[in-house]
Amino acid sequence: MVESRGATVPRWLKWLLWGGVAVVVVAAIAVGAMIWYVRSQMLDSGGRLRPALAAVDVRHVALEVAVDPVLRRIDGAATTTLDVVQPLEVAELDLDDRLEVRTVSVDDRDAAWRHHGGVVEVDLPVPWQAGERHRLRVEYGGEPKVALRPPWIDGFVWETTPSGAPWIGVTAQGDGCDIWWPCKDHPSDEPDDGMDIALTVPSDLVGLSNGRPVGETDNGDGTTTTRWRVSYPINGYLVTVNIGPYVPVEIPYHGVDGDRDETLVFWSIPESVADAERMWAQMPRIVETLGRRFGEYPFFDDKLWVAHAPYLGMEHQTLNAYGDDFTDNAYGFDVLLLHEFAHEWWGNKISVRDWADFWIHEGFGVWTEAAYVLDTQGEARYLEYMAEVRGRIRNAEPIIQGENLTSAAAYTGDIYTKGAWVVHSLRWLLGPEVFDEAVWTFLNDERFAYRTVSTADLEGVVAEVSGRDDLGWFWDRYLRRADPPRWSIERTGDRLRLAWDDPAFEMPLPVRIGDRIVRVEMSGGTAEVEVPEHVVVEVDPEGRVLAEEAE
Ligand SMILES: [Zn+2]
C-alpha cells in the first residue's frame, strides 16, 4: 500500500486510488446482496410454537408425493391425523409459499383455506374440541425450493450422476419439513403412530424413503410408486426421499448378541459400487460397536439403509444420506458414515423438542466418533481423537443460547466440538461406569426412548444415575456460558494450590504429580495438595477436562 502525501500524489495514482475505492464499494454491495440472497434462501424451522400448532398433537401422517426430475416439481398430498389438545376454529399447517395448495379437506369434507406467509389456514366446518381426533388432508404441488448449500441451506437437490441419470435428494434440518410437504414444522411433535409414505418416480429410477418398504405399483404411465411404512415416531426434518439409478450393496449383520439376521443396505449410484462395497464392509462392526454401547440399532423393525446422496450427508431416519468420498480417516473408519449413523440414536431415537438443545444431537454425535475409537482401539487413541476435536472449539457463544430457538439460530460449530467435550468432561466427572449407565438410561428408558427430549431431561438422568443432584454448576458453566472454566496453579514450597475461576465450579482436576496422575477434588472450587519440591507437576496431562489455564 502507498502512503498518501496530499498534493504530491501524481494524477495517475489518484485515479488508481479512486478506482480502489470504487472496487471496495462495489465489493461491499456485492457482499451485501449475497448475504441478502443467502438469507432469502433460508426458512425457519422450530422456534416459538404458534398457538394453532400447539393446539394439536400429530398422531400420523400419510404422505404421497410424485417427483418429476424433468420439470423439477413435486405433486402430492399429506393427510395428517391429529388429536386436539386445545379448542380450535382455524387449524394450521406450515407449507412454503413456493408450493401451491390445491384442495384442503377436514375429515373428508372440503374446507375453505388460505395459504400465505408459509402457513395454510383451514376454516374448520365445525370447531374442534379438546380430546377429539381429526384428519386434515392437503393436496399440493409445484416447484419446491432448490437447496443452495445442502445440507446447511436446504431444499431439493437436482443432480445428475456421472453418466447423466437424475440423482435427487432433499434436506430439511435448517429450513424444516414445510419446504416440501404440509407439516407441523416443529421438532417438539412427532407423529406417535409413524408415517406412511408413497413415493412416485420415473420407472427407470429407484425411489427410496424412510421406513420399511411395503409395496410397489407400476402405474403404467412410466412411473412407479413405492410404499413405505414408518413404524416409529419420526421428526419432520428426518423425512426424506432419495431418487437415482441406485444399485444395492448388501452386507449381513447378526446383532450385538449374534442372534439377528439382518441385511444392511447401501444404495449406491452405479459408478461408485466398488468404493461403496469397500466402505460398507466396515458397517457391521460400526453397528455392533455402537449397539453394544447404546443399545441395539433402534429401527430394525423398519430397516437399516444408507443412500448415496448428491450432497454431503444427513441423518434421515433409517435412510441416512452419505455423499462423502469413501475415504477412511486416520483411525480407519469413514467418519461421515459413522457420524450420521450415530444420529440414529442421537437425533432419531431421541430428538430434541427445542432446537436450543441441538447440541445433544451433535455433541453426542461427535463424541460417538471418539467412543467408536475408544471401543475399538482403546483409551489412548480415544484421547488422541478428543484432542483433535478440541482444536476446533471456538467459545464464541454459549452452546445453549436461550429457548424456543429455530434450528438456524441454534446452529454453531461449538454444538459439535465443544458439545463433544462437554460429554467427554462429564465422563471424567462421573467416571466411565456411571457415565455409561447414564448414557444408556437416557437412550433406553421409556421416558425418553423414541420421544423428544431436552437438556433438562439429560441433567435429570445424570442426577438420578449418579445420585448427585448438585451438578448445576457443570451444566451451567459448560452449556450456558461462552467462556470455558479457567484454573490457576500456585506452588509455594511443598504446597500446591489449585483454584477454579468460580468457587461454585467443583470439577475435579486430573494432576500429574511425578509419575502418577491423581484426581484432585475441588470442593469450593479450590484444593491444596502436598507435593515434594523437586517433583514435576502438570494439570490435566491427558486432556480430560474442558478448561483452560488462567492467564
Ligand atoms: Zn451431525
Side-chain angles (χ1 to χ4, degrees), residues 295-477:
E296 190 71 87
Y297 169 72
F299 303 108
F300 270 133
D301 285 354
D302 282 359
K303 67 177 184 296
L304 194 169
W305 288 3
V306 173
H308 192 188
Y311 54 87
L312 186 59
M314 183 47 68
E315 63 256 32
H316 301 131
Q317 187 165 305
T318 73
L319 188 64
N320 279 187
Y322 176 93
D324 212 351
D325 59 2
F326 301 101
T327 309
D328 286 356
N329 63 6
Y331 297 81
F333 64 92
D334 189 300
V335 67
L336 196 280
L337 176 72
L338 194 140
H339 178 90
E340 302 307 342
F341 187 61
H343 284 306
E344 292 281 23
W345 288 266
W346 304 107
N348 305 1
K349 186 176 186 184
I350 58 170
S351 318
V352 295
R353 71 177 72 97
D354 179 349
W355 280 117
D357 293 325
F358 207 154
W359 81 276
I360 293 178
H361 294 189
E362 300 302 347
F364 276 98
V366 171
W367 182 79
T368 301
E369 300 163 19
Y372 182 69
V373 176
L374 173 66
D375 293 343
T376 57
Q377 295 160 50
E379 187 90 15
R381 289 282 276 169
Y382 162 75
L383 291 167
E384 260 175 56
Y385 197 96
M386 288 308 301
E388 283 170 30
V389 172
R390 186 177 205 157
R392 307 199 303 271
I393 296 175
R394 290 175 58 246
N395 294 314
E397 58 281 293
I399 289 178
I400 299 176
Q401 299 182 67
E403 43 186 44
N404 297 317
L405 296 190
T406 64
S407 168
Y411 189 93
T412 67
D414 273 4
I415 65 173
Y416 291 78
T417 50
K418 193 174 178 181
W421 263 81
V422 172
V423 177
H424 175 58
S425 303
L426 183 66
R427 182 171 180 264
W428 161 254
L429 173 65
L430 302 178
E433 276 133 53
V434 174
F435 168 85
D436 286 352
E437 195 191 329
V439 167
W440 178 279
T441 304
F442 194 34
L443 287 168
N444 292 285
D445 189 287
E446 61 177 19
R447 287 169 295 170
F448 314 112
Y450 303 103
R451 295 176 192 275
T452 61
V453 300
S454 67
T455 298
D457 291 331
L458 173 63
E459 291 180 37
V461 165
V462 168
E464 211 174 277
V465 172
S466 68
R468 295 188 61 177
D469 54 9
D470 62 332
L471 300 179
W473 53 266
F474 175 91
W475 305 109
D476 288 346
R477 184 63 189 256

Side-chain angles (χ1 to χ4, degrees), residues 158-192:
W158 305 99
E159 272 294 337
T160 49
T161 63
S163 62
W167 190 18
I168 299 160
V170 59
T171 69
Q173 186 173 34
D175 291 40
C177 43
D178 59 336
I179 57 171
W180 70 285
W181 53 284
C183 63
K184 176 174 170 179
D185 179 21
H186 201 276
S188 61
D189 197 359
E190 299 179 341
D192 310 67

